[in-house]
Amino acid sequence: MTTPPGHPVPRAGDKAPPDKIVIEVATVNGSGCPTGTAAIAVSPDNTAFTVTYSDYLAKAGGPSLPTDFRKNCQLNLIVHVPNGFTYAVMGVDYRGSASLERGASGVEKASYYFQGSPATASRSHTFNGPLVDDWQATDTTEWANLVWAPCGVKRNLNINTELRVNAGTSDRTRTSFMTMDSTDGSVNTIYHLAWRQCPAA
């Protein structure tokens, strides 16, 4: 199969670039990440980056407001990649805590796409009450289905996450909630990157 122009050439043993990558936050919008409550750090080996949230909470029942059942966060990231390389989001580890009454449920959903590209990867995970515990969800994508950043063109990476809590048949006087934060102020969401070398100009 012929590789379309501008797409990375599959090569055995492609590794992360030795040069440091830099991720800048262009915009952060959403009810789940008010200004100053989301931070990003890149791993030393350039194979992952971490988003830390400190105020990401969805809830239903009890004294909750009607708008509290769904929270989202849209990250628009500028990823500075060393020359000759491109990348894709290969896997994501989400973590948080939940307190879901019997009959209630919670959903974590995420989508990933590059600015101007029609290709979008989307995953969701459902948690059912009764549940009072930390939770973890992992999104993985097979190599053949990865959505790659175009070579030689700067395209922002967009990540849209969502938490949703449904009171369902639970006792509506009691609050069910799901967070991507914690009492110590941070829970990490880790994005694992795959790398390929771009074709020579």
Side-chain angles (χ1 to χ4, degrees):
M1 184 173 63
T2 303
T3 302
H7 281 235
V9 178
R11 299 182 186 181
D14 277 347
K15 297 180 180 179
D19 298 333
K20 182 179 180 180
I21 65 170
V22 177
I23 296 178
E24 294 181 42
V25 180
T27 58
V28 179
N29 293 305
S31 54
C33 51
T35 302
T37 64
I40 296 177
V42 181
S43 68
D45 63 358
N46 295 335
T47 61
F49 65 91
T50 301
V51 182
T52 302
Y53 299 101
S54 59
D55 191 15
Y56 203 152
L57 167 68
K59 58 185 178 179
S64 304
L65 298 175
T67 55
D68 288 341
F69 83 99
R70 178 186 179 275
K71 295 296 175 74
N72 81 297
C73 185
Q74 173 87 25
L75 299 175
N76 187 306
L77 307 178
I78 304 169
V79 183
H80 299 276
V81 180
N83 289 335
F85 285 87
T86 187
Y87 71 98
V89 177
M90 183 170 58
V92 189
D93 299 320
Y94 293 98
R95 296 183 179 88
S97 60
S99 178
L100 301 173
E101 295 292 322
R102 184 179 299 276
S105 61
V107 174
E108 177 274 323
K109 183 179 179 181
S111 59
Y112 323 96
Y113 63 95
F114 291 101
Q115 184 178 14
S117 172
T120 301
S122 183
R123 304 284 187 274
S124 63
H125 304 271
T126 300
F127 302 85
N128 295 309
L131 174 66
V132 181
D133 203 352
D134 293 336
W135 62 268
Q136 179 171 340
T138 299
D139 296 346
T140 57
T141 303
E142 295 295 329
W143 185 269
N145 297 322
L146 291 175
V147 178
W148 295 92
C151 285
V153 181
K154 290 191 179 299
R155 296 281 177 85
N156 289 9
L157 171 63
N158 289 275
I159 301 170
N160 193 12
T161 58
E162 174 185 329
L163 289 181
R164 184 177 299 182
V165 175
N166 183 355
T169 60
S170 67
D171 181 350
R172 298 301 180 94
T173 66
R174 300 176 66 86
T175 302
S176 291
F177 68 84
M178 191 170 177
T179 77
M180 250 193 274
D181 67 351
S182 68
T183 53
D184 65 3
S186 66
V187 163
N188 293 337
T189 298
I190 302 174
Y191 294 81
H192 302 278
L193 302 179
W195 293 93
R196 277 182 173 175
Q197 290 182 303
C198 291

